[in-house]
Amino acid sequence: MKRILGTLSTVLFFVGLVFYIIMLFGNDNLLLSNVILSAIGFVLALFAEKGVYKKIGLIGNGLILLIAIIIPFIVTTFFWNTP
């Protein structure tokens, strides 16, 4: 069961990566689905069996969440705060 979680996490990372690339070309509707898929993939990777798929899921989904949520939050909060 844990092996399936790692594989599913990796698949969700690649789907989220494709959604993020499509979003960069102008379709902003996919951002929410991208973040949801990456968050689910990250949580699944936490419970997965140790191995390559777990590492891909953790690092990949973590990077997507970092780029899509954390960096824009930091920029808008601390650097772009003038009215």
Side-chain angles (χ1 to χ4, degrees):
M1 180 66 182
K2 288 188 174 189
R3 181 179 296 167
I4 295 172
L5 292 178
T7 306
L8 187 60
S9 172
T10 303
V11 168
L12 287 176
F13 161 63
F14 286 121
V15 170
L17 184 64
V18 168
F19 281 177
Y20 194 76
I21 291 171
I22 292 171
M23 188 205 69
L24 289 176
F25 286 117
N27 190 357
D28 292 339
N29 297 330
L30 295 176
L31 181 62
L32 181 63
S33 61
N34 178 24
V35 170
I36 290 171
L37 287 176
S38 294
I40 292 171
F42 190 80
V43 170
L44 289 178
L46 290 175
F47 296 111
E49 183 179 88
K50 290 183 181 179
V52 176
Y53 291 127
K54 179 176 183 164
K55 291 178 185 175
I56 292 172
L58 280 174
I59 294 171
N61 290 319
L63 283 175
I64 289 176
L65 290 174
L66 179 79
I67 291 170
I69 294 178
I70 296 173
I71 291 177
F73 176 75
I74 291 172
V75 168
T76 57
T77 302
F78 297 113
F79 300 115
W80 196 357
N81 58 3
T82 59

